Amino acid sequence: MFAYNPEKFASLYATELGQRIWTCLTQPETVARLETASELGKPAVEGIEEQLLAEFREEVLADRVKQMVGHMVRQILEQRDWVLDQTDVKVQSVPFSKAARYRRPDWFTFHAFRNSSDPRDVVITDRRQNPALPAGARWTFYATFASPLKAAVAFGVHDIKQLRQQVHSHGYHRVQVPRMLRRA
């Protein structure tokens, strides 16, 4: 199902440990965990930390082994049409301290800011640092999202291409988020 090109990890991959790790990582439930973590905007390996520790114990703590795991995960996800989003994302756990985050090719990262006097007044932009936001309001950071589904459900944005054009030409896109619950 999956092909692995070990490149600089050839000697480690050829060991019994390397083979066991590859077998573990290519199990359907493991791939599902990698994809779930990625869909949540987390580094992929966050979805399999407990599984790796349970299966391989101290063997997975060696730096070279963790690097090979990351290399394997990247190839698995790329074969499932995920693309590298960011490397060296801090992870506060064991066994990983840094890991890569992946996204779907049609996902673009946006940042949402809320008007402090009206939380339903939201501005979406492509910059978190020093964004160009509308004057006359105090804006506070609210959320980062990339998934078109999150854009549609949380902010009522159904056309990502149009959102990107609006942000590119004006620096932001302003939306009024509807009430989720109605008054009784």
Side-chain angles (χ1 to χ4, degrees):
M1 180 173 159
F2 292 102
Y4 179 57
N5 180 2
E7 299 167 355
K8 61 185 178 181
F9 298 100
S11 60
L12 180 54
Y13 175 63
T15 66
E16 178 197 351
L17 176 63
Q19 295 297 302
R20 287 177 39 228
I21 289 173
W22 179 249
T23 299
C24 175
L25 292 178
T26 56
Q27 294 297 312
E29 61 273 10
T30 305
V31 174
R33 288 181 176 125
L34 295 170
E35 290 185 322
T36 299
S38 298
E39 286 171 351
L40 293 171
K42 302 287 186 184
V45 294
E46 281 194 25
I48 61 168
E49 293 169 334
E50 290 289 326
Q51 183 182 5
L52 288 175
L53 290 169
E55 180 81 20
F56 301 104
R57 315 283 304 167
E58 297 82 13
E59 293 176 300
V60 79
L61 297 178
D63 287 343
R64 189 81 177 146
V65 172
K66 292 186 286 187
Q67 290 167 355
M68 183 181 71
V69 167
H71 192 252
M72 290 175 165
V73 165
R74 181 174 183 167
Q75 290 188 28
I76 290 167
L77 289 176
E78 285 178 345
Q79 290 175 55
R80 302 269 304 168
D81 297 324
W82 290 86
V83 295
L84 181 64
D85 183 41
Q86 184 178 343
T87 60
D88 294 333
V89 176
K90 288 190 184 236
V91 179
Q92 302 290 344
S93 69
V94 173
F96 303 101
S97 60
K98 290 182 184 177
R101 186 175 60 220
Y102 299 87
R103 63 175 177 78
R104 291 288 187 194
D106 61 335
W107 288 8
F108 297 95
T109 301
F110 293 103
H111 306 282
F113 293 82
R114 278 183 169 167
N115 183 335
S116 59
S117 61
D118 179 4
R120 291 184 297 136
D121 184 16
V122 175
V123 171
I124 300 170
T125 184
D126 60 353
R127 297 179 60 190
R128 172 131 186 217
Q129 300 298 321
N130 305 316
L133 302 178
R138 194 171 130 249
W139 300 100
T140 56
F141 175 75
Y142 173 54
T144 296
F145 64 95
S147 148
L149 181 61
K150 288 181 183 177
V153 173
F155 303 106
V157 175
H158 301 284
D159 188 341
I160 293 295
K161 187 175 181 181
Q162 182 180 2
L163 174 62
R164 289 183 66 211
Q165 289 172 343
Q166 181 92 19
V167 168
H168 180 71
S169 61
H170 301 296
Y172 62 87
H173 176 69
R174 195 169 189 170
V175 296
Q176 276 295 120
V177 177
R179 277 190 175 302
M180 294 299 157
L181 299 174
R182 306 227 185 269
R183 288 186 180 155

